[in-house]
PDB file of all heavy atoms in Angstrom:
ATOM      1  N   ASP A 748     -12.267 -13.101 -58.048  1.00  0.00           N
ATOM      2  CA  ASP A 748     -13.436 -12.501 -58.681  1.00  0.00           C
ATOM      3  C   ASP A 748     -14.687 -13.359 -58.550  1.00  0.00           C
ATOM      4  O   ASP A 748     -15.780 -12.857 -58.381  1.00  0.00           O
ATOM      5  CB  ASP A 748     -13.153 -12.221 -60.159  1.00  0.00           C
ATOM      6  CG  ASP A 748     -12.224 -11.037 -60.348  1.00  0.00           C
ATOM      7  OD1 ASP A 748     -12.077 -10.259 -59.393  1.00  0.00           O
ATOM      8  OD2 ASP A 748     -11.644 -10.891 -61.443  1.00  0.00           O
ATOM      9  N   ARG A 749     -14.564 -14.668 -58.628  1.00  0.00           N
ATOM     10  CA  ARG A 749     -15.746 -15.537 -58.584  1.00  0.00           C
ATOM     11  C   ARG A 749     -15.668 -16.572 -57.463  1.00  0.00           C
ATOM     12  O   ARG A 749     -16.436 -17.531 -57.444  1.00  0.00           O
ATOM     13  CB  ARG A 749     -15.922 -16.245 -59.940  1.00  0.00           C
ATOM     14  CG  ARG A 749     -16.105 -15.272 -61.091  1.00  0.00           C
ATOM     15  CD  ARG A 749     -16.228 -15.969 -62.424  1.00  0.00           C
ATOM     16  NE  ARG A 749     -17.461 -16.748 -62.520  1.00  0.00           N
ATOM     17  CZ  ARG A 749     -17.840 -17.394 -63.620  1.00  0.00           C
ATOM     18  NH1 ARG A 749     -17.080 -17.353 -64.703  1.00  0.00           N
ATOM     19  NH2 ARG A 749     -18.962 -18.075 -63.645  1.00  0.00           N
ATOM     20  N   LEU A 750     -14.776 -16.348 -56.515  1.00  0.00           N
ATOM     21  CA  LEU A 750     -14.584 -17.293 -55.421  1.00  0.00           C
ATOM     22  C   LEU A 750     -14.663 -16.565 -54.083  1.00  0.00           C
ATOM     23  O   LEU A 750     -13.925 -15.614 -53.839  1.00  0.00           O
ATOM     24  CB  LEU A 750     -13.222 -17.984 -55.554  1.00  0.00           C
ATOM     25  CG  LEU A 750     -12.969 -19.181 -54.632  1.00  0.00           C
ATOM     26  CD1 LEU A 750     -13.936 -20.317 -54.970  1.00  0.00           C
ATOM     27  CD2 LEU A 750     -11.527 -19.653 -54.778  1.00  0.00           C
ATOM     28  N   ASN A 751     -15.580 -17.014 -53.217  1.00  0.00           N
ATOM     29  CA  ASN A 751     -15.796 -16.388 -51.918  1.00  0.00           C
ATOM     30  C   ASN A 751     -15.533 -17.374 -50.790  1.00  0.00           C
ATOM     31  O   ASN A 751     -15.860 -18.569 -50.896  1.00  0.00           O
ATOM     32  CB  ASN A 751     -17.237 -15.875 -51.799  1.00  0.00           C
ATOM     33  CG  ASN A 751     -17.565 -14.834 -52.841  1.00  0.00           C
ATOM     34  OD1 ASN A 751     -16.728 -13.986 -53.155  1.00  0.00           O
ATOM     35  ND2 ASN A 751     -18.775 -14.888 -53.378  1.00  0.00           N
ATOM     36  N   LEU A 752     -14.970 -16.874 -49.711  1.00  0.00           N
ATOM     37  CA  LEU A 752     -14.785 -17.634 -48.484  1.00  0.00           C
ATOM     38  C   LEU A 752     -15.685 -17.035 -47.405  1.00  0.00           C
ATOM     39  O   LEU A 752     -15.934 -15.823 -47.397  1.00  0.00           O
ATOM     40  CB  LEU A 752     -13.325 -17.586 -48.029  1.00  0.00           C
ATOM     41  CG  LEU A 752     -12.269 -18.022 -49.043  1.00  0.00           C
ATOM     42  CD1 LEU A 752     -10.864 -17.872 -48.439  1.00  0.00           C
ATOM     43  CD2 LEU A 752     -12.502 -19.451 -49.493  1.00  0.00           C
ATOM     44  N   GLY A 753     -16.161 -17.870 -46.497  1.00  0.00           N
ATOM     45  CA  GLY A 753     -17.049 -17.353 -45.472  1.00  0.00           C
ATOM     46  C   GLY A 753     -16.988 -18.143 -44.177  1.00  0.00           C
ATOM     47  O   GLY A 753     -16.585 -19.318 -44.163  1.00  0.00           O
ATOM     48  N   PHE A 754     -17.372 -17.472 -43.098  1.00  0.00           N
ATOM     49  CA  PHE A 754     -17.551 -18.127 -41.794  1.00  0.00           C
ATOM     50  C   PHE A 754     -18.841 -17.594 -41.199  1.00  0.00           C
ATOM     51  O   PHE A 754     -19.111 -16.394 -41.228  1.00  0.00           O
ATOM     52  CB  PHE A 754     -16.400 -17.846 -40.847  1.00  0.00           C
ATOM     53  CG  PHE A 754     -16.637 -18.392 -39.461  1.00  0.00           C
ATOM     54  CD1 PHE A 754     -16.452 -19.743 -39.206  1.00  0.00           C
ATOM     55  CD2 PHE A 754     -17.085 -17.564 -38.442  1.00  0.00           C
ATOM     56  CE1 PHE A 754     -16.691 -20.271 -37.939  1.00  0.00           C
ATOM     57  CE2 PHE A 754     -17.326 -18.079 -37.170  1.00  0.00           C
ATOM     58  CZ  PHE A 754     -17.130 -19.435 -36.923  1.00  0.00           C
ATOM     59  N   GLU A 755     -19.645 -18.512 -40.644  1.00  0.00           N
ATOM     60  CA  GLU A 755     -20.946 -18.122 -40.095  1.00  0.00           C
ATOM     61  C   GLU A 755     -21.232 -18.895 -38.818  1.00  0.00           C
ATOM     62  O   GLU A 755     -21.004 -20.104 -38.744  1.00  0.00           O
ATOM     63  CB  GLU A 755     -22.040 -18.386 -41.126  1.00  0.00           C
ATOM     64  CG  GLU A 755     -23.430 -17.987 -40.691  1.00  0.00           C
ATOM     65  CD  GLU A 755     -24.459 -18.247 -41.773  1.00  0.00           C
ATOM     66  OE1 GLU A 755     -24.470 -17.488 -42.769  1.00  0.00           O
ATOM     67  OE2 GLU A 755     -25.240 -19.220 -41.646  1.00  0.00           O
ATOM     68  N   PHE A 756     -21.741 -18.174 -37.821  1.00  0.00           N
ATOM     69  CA  PHE A 756     -22.200 -18.816 -36.586  1.00  0.00           C
ATOM     70  C   PHE A 756     -23.677 -18.526 -36.408  1.00  0.00           C
ATOM     71  O   PHE A 756     -24.096 -17.363 -36.403  1.00  0.00           O
ATOM     72  CB  PHE A 756     -21.435 -18.301 -35.367  1.00  0.00           C
ATOM     73  CG  PHE A 756     -21.956 -18.865 -34.068  1.00  0.00           C
ATOM     74  CD1 PHE A 756     -21.592 -20.146 -33.672  1.00  0.00           C
ATOM     75  CD2 PHE A 756     -22.829 -18.126 -33.279  1.00  0.00           C
ATOM     76  CE1 PHE A 756     -22.092 -20.674 -32.489  1.00  0.00           C
ATOM     77  CE2 PHE A 756     -23.321 -18.650 -32.093  1.00  0.00           C
ATOM     78  CZ  PHE A 756     -22.950 -19.927 -31.697  1.00  0.00           C
ATOM     79  N   THR A 757     -24.474 -19.579 -36.281  1.00  0.00           N
ATOM     80  CA  THR A 757     -25.913 -19.419 -36.086  1.00  0.00           C
ATOM     81  C   THR A 757     -26.404 -20.284 -34.943  1.00  0.00           C
ATOM     82  O   THR A 757     -25.898 -21.379 -34.707  1.00  0.00           O
ATOM     83  CB  THR A 757     -26.707 -19.797 -37.352  1.00  0.00           C
ATOM     84  OG1 THR A 757     -26.360 -21.126 -37.756  1.00  0.00           O
ATOM     85  CG2 THR A 757     -26.422 -18.831 -38.489  1.00  0.00           C
ATOM     86  N   MET A 758     -27.398 -19.758 -34.229  1.00  0.00           N
ATOM     87  CA  MET A 758     -28.160 -20.540 -33.261  1.00  0.00           C
ATOM     88  C   MET A 758     -29.508 -20.858 -33.896  1.00  0.00           C
ATOM     89  O   MET A 758     -30.094 -20.010 -34.586  1.00  0.00           O
ATOM     90  CB  MET A 758     -28.364 -19.752 -31.970  1.00  0.00           C
ATOM     91  CG  MET A 758     -27.103 -19.520 -31.175  1.00  0.00           C
ATOM     92  SD  MET A 758     -26.423 -21.043 -30.441  1.00  0.00           S
ATOM     93  CE  MET A 758     -27.744 -21.519 -29.323  1.00  0.00           C
ATOM     94  N   ARG A 759     -29.981 -22.076 -33.676  1.00  0.00           N
ATOM     95  CA  ARG A 759     -31.264 -22.488 -34.227  1.00  0.00           C
ATOM     96  C   ARG A 759     -32.193 -22.906 -33.090  1.00  0.00           C
ATOM     97  O   ARG A 759     -31.915 -23.854 -32.360  1.00  0.00           O
ATOM     98  CB  ARG A 759     -31.067 -23.642 -35.211  1.00  0.00           C
ATOM     99  CG  ARG A 759     -30.582 -23.154 -36.590  1.00  0.00           C
ATOM    100  CD  ARG A 759     -29.833 -24.227 -37.317  1.00  0.00           C
ATOM    101  NE  ARG A 759     -29.789 -24.022 -38.752  1.00  0.00           N
ATOM    102  CZ  ARG A 759     -28.936 -23.205 -39.368  1.00  0.00           C
ATOM    103  NH1 ARG A 759     -28.055 -22.524 -38.650  1.00  0.00           N
ATOM    104  NH2 ARG A 759     -28.957 -23.072 -40.684  1.00  0.00           N
ATOM    105  N   LYS A 760     -33.291 -22.182 -32.942  1.00  0.00           N
ATOM    106  CA  LYS A 760     -34.308 -22.489 -31.952  1.00  0.00           C
ATOM    107  C   LYS A 760     -35.328 -23.425 -32.570  1.00  0.00           C
ATOM    108  O   LYS A 760     -35.885 -23.136 -33.640  1.00  0.00           O
ATOM    109  CB  LYS A 760     -34.987 -21.191 -31.504  1.00  0.00           C
ATOM    110  CG  LYS A 760     -36.215 -21.378 -30.624  1.00  0.00           C
ATOM    111  CD  LYS A 760     -35.863 -21.938 -29.276  1.00  0.00           C
ATOM    112  CE  LYS A 760     -37.102 -21.942 -28.360  1.00  0.00           C
ATOM    113  NZ  LYS A 760     -36.810 -22.585 -27.067  1.00  0.00           N
ATOM    114  N   GLU A 761     -35.560 -24.571 -31.910  1.00  0.00           N
ATOM    115  CA  GLU A 761     -36.581 -25.497 -32.430  1.00  0.00           C
ATOM    116  C   GLU A 761     -37.704 -25.635 -31.418  1.00  0.00           C
ATOM    117  O   GLU A 761     -37.528 -25.331 -30.250  1.00  0.00           O
ATOM    118  CB  GLU A 761     -35.958 -26.842 -32.802  1.00  0.00           C
ATOM    119  CG  GLU A 761     -35.422 -27.662 -31.670  1.00  0.00           C
ATOM    120  CD  GLU A 761     -36.398 -28.752 -31.265  1.00  0.00           C
ATOM    121  OE1 GLU A 761     -37.485 -28.824 -31.838  1.00  0.00           O
ATOM    122  OE2 GLU A 761     -36.062 -29.508 -30.346  1.00  0.00           O
ATOM    123  N   PHE A 762     -38.866 -26.084 -31.874  1.00  0.00           N
ATOM    124  CA  PHE A 762     -40.090 -25.962 -31.081  1.00  0.00           C
ATOM    125  C   PHE A 762     -40.755 -27.292 -30.732  1.00  0.00           C
ATOM    126  O   PHE A 762     -41.933 -27.314 -30.420  1.00  0.00           O
ATOM    127  CB  PHE A 762     -41.093 -25.084 -31.842  1.00  0.00           C
ATOM    128  CG  PHE A 762     -40.639 -23.667 -32.017  1.00  0.00           C
ATOM    129  CD1 PHE A 762     -40.008 -23.276 -33.185  1.00  0.00           C
ATOM    130  CD2 PHE A 762     -40.828 -22.731 -31.012  1.00  0.00           C
ATOM    131  CE1 PHE A 762     -39.584 -21.972 -33.355  1.00  0.00           C
ATOM    132  CE2 PHE A 762     -40.405 -21.431 -31.165  1.00  0.00           C
ATOM    133  CZ  PHE A 762     -39.777 -21.038 -32.343  1.00  0.00           C
ATOM    134  N   ASN A 763     -39.992 -28.379 -30.772  1.00  0.00           N
ATOM    135  CA  ASN A 763     -40.664 -29.663 -30.564  1.00  0.00           C
ATOM    136  C   ASN A 763     -39.864 -30.610 -29.678  1.00  0.00           C
ATOM    137  O   ASN A 763     -40.144 -31.801 -29.629  1.00  0.00           O
ATOM    138  CB  ASN A 763     -40.935 -30.329 -31.926  1.00  0.00           C
ATOM    139  CG  ASN A 763     -41.971 -31.422 -31.842  1.00  0.00           C
ATOM    140  OD1 ASN A 763     -42.811 -31.415 -30.938  1.00  0.00           O
ATOM    141  ND2 ASN A 763     -41.920 -32.365 -32.763  1.00  0.00           N
ATOM    142  N   ASP A 764     -38.852 -30.092 -28.969  1.00  0.00           N
ATOM    143  CA  ASP A 764     -37.988 -30.956 -28.158  1.00  0.00           C
ATOM    144  C   ASP A 764     -37.484 -32.149 -28.957  1.00  0.00           C
ATOM    145  O   ASP A 764     -37.336 -33.253 -28.433  1.00  0.00           O
ATOM    146  CB  ASP A 764     -38.728 -31.457 -26.916  1.00  0.00           C
ATOM    147  CG  ASP A 764     -38.420 -30.607 -25.694  1.00  0.00           C
ATOM    148  OD1 ASP A 764     -37.341 -29.969 -25.674  1.00  0.00           O
ATOM    149  OD2 ASP A 764     -39.233 -30.564 -24.767  1.00  0.00           O
ATOM    150  N   GLY A 765     -37.229 -31.934 -30.236  1.00  0.00           N
ATOM    151  CA  GLY A 765     -36.890 -33.055 -31.091  1.00  0.00           C
ATOM    152  C   GLY A 765     -35.417 -33.341 -31.228  1.00  0.00           C
ATOM    153  O   GLY A 765     -35.031 -34.421 -31.681  1.00  0.00           O
TER     154      GLY A 765
END
Side-chain angles (χ1 to χ4, degrees):
D748 286 343
R749 300 178 67 176
L750 191 65
N751 299 321
L752 305 178
F754 174 79
E755 182 179 287
F756 176 79
T757 55
M758 292 291 297
R759 280 155 158 81
K760 171 68 173 176
E761 67 100 358
F762 295 96
N763 197 25
D764 263 336

